[in-house]
Amino acid sequence: MSRTTVSHEEGAIYEFTPTLDPIATVEPGAELTIETRDSLDGAVQTDDDLIESVPEEVNAATGPIEVAGAEPGDVLAVEIEDVRLAEDRGRVVTIDGFGLLDGHEDIEAPRTKVTPVAEDSTPDADVVTDAVIEFGDHEIAVDPCIGTIGVAPASDSYTTLVPHDHGGNLDTTDVSAGNTIYFPVFQNGAMLAMGDSKAAMADGEMCGTGAEIATDIDVTVRVIDGDDVAVELDRPLIETPDAWKTVASAESMEEACELANLDAIDLFATEHGFGPTEAYMFSSLVGGLEISQVVDPLVTVRNAIPKTHCDGPF
Amino acid sequence: MSRTTVSHEEGAIYEFTPTLDPIATVEPGAELTIETRDSLDGAVQTDDDLIESVPEEVNAATGPIEVAGAEPGDVLAVEIEDVRLAEDRGRVVTIDGFGLLDGHEDIEAPRTKVTPVAEDSTPDADVVTDAVIEFGDHEIAVDPCIGTIGVAPASDSYTTLVPHDHGGNLDTTDVSAGNTIYFPVFQNGAMLAMGDSKAAMADGEMCGTGAEIATDIDVTVRVIDGDDVAVELDRPLIETPDAWKTVASAESMEEACELANLDAIDLFATEHGFGPTEAYMFSSLVGGLEISQVVDPLVTVRNAIPKTHCDGPF
């Protein structure tokens, strides 16, 4: 099967709604290259380009892509094979009204730091690619992730600034090459869209951005019949080589932790025959809670489950 | 220098106060073995032993140990060399009024699950020790950490149930063999105490406990003169082989994230000559926020900084 390219120039959304019109339709099993622009639509090219306030349109998500045959109750699997940088610079910004330390004395907003892509000046023979971004005279290893990725939601609409049960602005470092992200399908065709990639990002995304950059993303999409899923997904789930990670977004971190933990408990209870309390206790011993982002303004938390303790729901 | 043993039978505290009386005095550089009892003082030996409410005294911390010459403004370094299990079982409990999912339907409290220590039935040749705890017929690798560890605080007093700037009930998986935890010294002699170890614990400690267990802990204590510290510590700091981790406890996770991030920013700014905003942006690209515990009832968050990007303050 040849790889299909879908570009942001064909279409990109700034809102995940229940009734999205696809710009492309693909079959389950399709191999795609999805071209994305940076989250700020190219507005920042130098340190002098400042973002005065959160733009009304941000995090353009290339798509929507209809996956033929996907129906509500199914699961859409997006296997991420590669995330390649598609421009020569990323950018980190602070924006007034946004970020973990918004309003703190000493923290200035707006500020911009452009991070040029370069070759590592001290390459490591163990690493296949040695691309870095430059932050002043500091080099940071390129480790791309996809910030915004999701499907058409069940009933409400969400701008691409926020995450929720449909995905959206999850800003999760594990949404990266080598991992698979699974979404509940809420609408016929699923309506996948993604963008807002980072050349590098810390867990938490504290200042409100990673190194925002355009990328070309290789994925394979698959549809898992709802009847073949051991635990119904209410929210995204990520599979890494070593772990399953439930992903939950909510207004407070405490609430996001609760949802991510409840989803992990469901996985443990179903697979191991635990009662809920026993599964809760088990969840308190292995893997654990991780922070995706604390700024979007809904926050996102993961509950990681080592595969040694869970085969997963598929 | 011979190793000094300090046992919980000689003394243990349930409250970190500014005016602690030491049960032992050691010199800087002393090698100690600290014997701790489990956080529930042996009250739980079978699944039938239930904890109806959070005990008034919990998390007995062996000590206090006076480190001669440590003065306010210095830093106490506690190098953790080994944490050995000292009994044949751990225990996980739920307690009414405690835990991430306290009050959720389906979650029962009180409940107890005793986790016997055993040999791994499928040992891995790559792993030196193959001890496990048994959770029903599931085996969980033993990976001990110290739950409660701290020094005499500056002015307020804190029971061993809560964490704060002096340490206390940090419940942080990184407080484990091979790592060093640094504390600001607030009182003459520092007055180190520790206990509340776990045979295994998930980041988050969601149900309110790990596998609580008595341990023998080998540490070396050192005193770093305040003049030799590049960044004054306001809170604990952990050094792992690969990272520095600022550790902050607060009423909300958002607040704990802010404090941990501000401490990381201080480290970056001081070492690299960044301004605060630049350091904030840098912190949004490397390492990131991690969850220690969400239940104690102050919560604890870390900001991890890879050593590749920071040499640390000492």
Side-chain angles (χ1 to χ4, degrees):
Chain A
M1 189 183 296
S2 67
R3 195 170 276 280
T4 303
T5 296
V6 182
S7 168
H8 61 93
E9 292 177 359
E10 297 164 56
I13 57 172
Y14 294 99
E15 188 171 28
F16 287 92
T17 72
T19 56
L20 291 169
D21 287 326
I23 61 166
T25 301
V26 302
E27 295 296 316
E31 299 179 344
L32 308 175
T33 296
I34 297 166
E35 299 177 355
T36 70
R37 56 181 181 259
D38 83 273
S39 62
L40 296 164
D41 287 339
V44 172
Q45 298 299 331
T46 78
D47 288 358
D48 295 330
D49 295 328
L50 302 176
I51 304 295
E52 300 284 346
S53 60
V54 177
E56 199 162 317
E57 295 194 326
V58 70
N59 300 334
T62 300
I65 299 163
E66 176 180 36
V67 183
E71 294 179 347
D74 293 341
V75 168
L76 181 72
V78 183
E79 300 175 8
I80 305 166
E81 284 127 16
D82 200 8
V83 182
R84 291 181 299 280
L85 306 189
E87 60 177 323
D88 65 0
R89 72 200 73 181
R91 65 282 289 163
V92 194
V93 304
T94 60
I95 304 173
D96 188 33
F98 198 61
L100 177 64
L101 301 183
D102 178 51
H104 264 256
E105 56 173 1
D106 300 337
I107 299 297
E108 296 162 33
R111 276 282 294 276
T112 291
K113 187 92 174 176
V114 165
T115 58
V117 178
E119 281 188 26
D120 188 350
S121 63
T122 57
D124 178 342
D126 294 339
V127 180
V128 176
T129 57
D130 284 300
V132 299
I133 51 171
E134 294 171 341
F135 186 100
D137 54 7
H138 294 268
E139 296 183 347
I140 298 171
V142 166
D143 187 10
C145 65
I146 304 167
T148 299
I149 182 168
V151 296
S155 52
D156 292 334
S157 294
Y158 301 89
T159 74
T160 44
L161 183 63
V162 296
H164 207 259
D165 297 349
H166 69 291
N169 194 17
L170 297 171
D171 283 332
T172 294
T173 51
D174 287 309
V175 183
S176 56
N179 297 341
T180 297
I181 182 163
Y182 301 87
F183 296 97
V185 174
F186 297 109
Q187 305 293 344
N188 286 334
M191 305 298 173
L192 176 68
M194 69 188 75
D196 177 34
S197 295
K198 331 285 178 186
M201 193 190 95
D203 277 339
E205 202 190 24
M206 292 75 119
C207 86
T209 74
E212 311 292 302
I213 198 160
T215 55
D216 296 340
I217 303 167
D218 291 344
V219 301
T220 299
V221 292
R222 291 187 297 116
V223 177
I224 303 172
D225 191 284
D227 294 338
D228 298 332
V229 179
V231 178
E232 190 182 341
L233 294 195
D234 294 323
R235 281 171 283 276
L237 176 71
I238 294 172
E239 182 180 5
T240 77
D242 303 321
W244 297 93
K245 301 195 180 188
T246 63
V247 180
S249 303
E251 295 217 351
S252 74
M253 295 191 68
E254 282 75 4
E255 194 186 342
C257 287
E258 285 186 32
L259 293 172
N261 188 220
L262 284 165
D263 288 350
I265 286 171
D266 263 0
L267 288 172
F268 283 134
T270 303
E271 184 166 321
H272 298 315
F274 292 150
T277 306
E278 213 172 7
Y280 177 44
M281 292 167 145
F282 194 74
S283 80
S284 199
L285 297 184
V286 301
L289 297 173
E290 300 176 345
I291 290 174
S292 288
Q293 58 79 23
V294 297
V295 295
D296 273 345
L298 298 188
V299 300
T300 304
V301 167
R302 316 186 283 271
N303 191 337
I305 302 171
K307 284 187 173 173
T308 47
H309 291 294
C310 186
D311 293 333
F314 312 120
Chain B
M1 190 182 295
S2 66
R3 194 170 278 279
T4 303
T5 297
V6 182
S7 168
H8 60 93
E9 292 177 359
E10 297 164 56
I13 57 172
Y14 294 99
E15 188 171 30
F16 286 93
T17 73
T19 56
L20 292 169
D21 286 325
I23 61 165
T25 300
V26 302
E27 294 296 316
E31 299 178 344
L32 309 175
T33 296
I34 296 167
E35 299 177 354
T36 70
R37 57 181 181 259
D38 81 274
S39 63
L40 296 164
D41 286 340
V44 173
Q45 299 298 331
T46 78
D47 288 359
D48 295 330
D49 296 327
L50 303 176
I51 305 294
E52 299 284 347
S53 60
V54 177
E56 200 163 314
E57 295 194 326
V58 71
N59 300 334
T62 300
I65 298 163
E66 176 180 36
V67 183
E71 293 179 350
D74 293 341
V75 168
L76 181 71
V78 183
E79 301 175 6
I80 305 167
E81 284 128 16
D82 199 7
V83 183
R84 292 181 299 280
L85 306 189
E87 59 177 325
D88 65 0
R89 73 200 71 182
R91 65 281 291 164
V92 194
V93 304
T94 60
I95 304 173
D96 188 33
F98 198 60
L100 177 65
L101 300 182
D102 178 51
H104 263 257
E105 58 173 1
D106 299 337
I107 299 297
E108 297 162 32
R111 276 281 295 274
T112 291
K113 187 93 174 175
V114 165
T115 58
V117 178
E119 281 189 26
D120 188 348
S121 63
T122 57
D124 178 342
D126 294 339
V127 179
V128 177
T129 58
D130 284 301
V132 299
I133 51 171
E134 294 171 340
F135 186 100
D137 55 6
H138 294 267
E139 296 183 346
I140 297 171
V142 166
D143 188 10
C145 65
I146 303 167
T148 299
I149 182 168
V151 296
S155 52
D156 292 334
S157 295
Y158 301 89
T159 74
T160 43
L161 182 62
V162 296
H164 206 258
D165 297 349
H166 69 292
N169 194 15
L170 297 171
D171 282 333
T172 294
T173 52
D174 286 310
V175 184
S176 56
N179 297 342
T180 298
I181 182 163
Y182 301 88
F183 297 97
V185 175
F186 297 110
Q187 304 294 343
N188 285 335
M191 304 298 171
L192 175 68
M194 68 188 74
D196 178 33
S197 295
K198 331 285 179 186
M201 193 190 96
D203 277 338
E205 203 192 24
M206 293 74 120
C207 86
T209 73
E212 311 292 302
I213 199 160
T215 55
D216 297 340
I217 303 167
D218 292 344
V219 300
T220 299
V221 292
R222 291 187 298 115
V223 176
I224 303 172
D225 190 285
D227 293 338
D228 297 332
V229 179
V231 178
E232 191 182 340
L233 294 195
D234 294 322
R235 281 171 282 277
L237 177 70
I238 294 171
E239 182 180 5
T240 75
D242 304 320
W244 297 93
K245 300 194 180 190
T246 63
V247 180
S249 303
E251 295 217 349
S252 73
M253 295 190 67
E254 283 75 2
E255 194 187 342
C257 287
E258 286 185 32
L259 293 172
N261 188 220
L262 284 165
D263 288 349
I265 287 171
D266 263 359
L267 288 172
F268 284 133
T270 303
E271 185 167 321
H272 298 315
F274 292 150
T277 306
E278 213 172 8
Y280 176 44
M281 291 168 143
F282 194 74
S283 79
S284 200
L285 297 183
V286 301
L289 296 174
E290 301 175 345
I291 291 174
S292 288
Q293 57 79 23
V294 297
V295 295
D296 274 345
L298 298 187
V299 301
T300 305
V301 167
R302 315 185 283 272
N303 192 335
I305 302 170
K307 283 187 174 174
T308 46
H309 291 294
C310 187
D311 293 332
F314 311 120

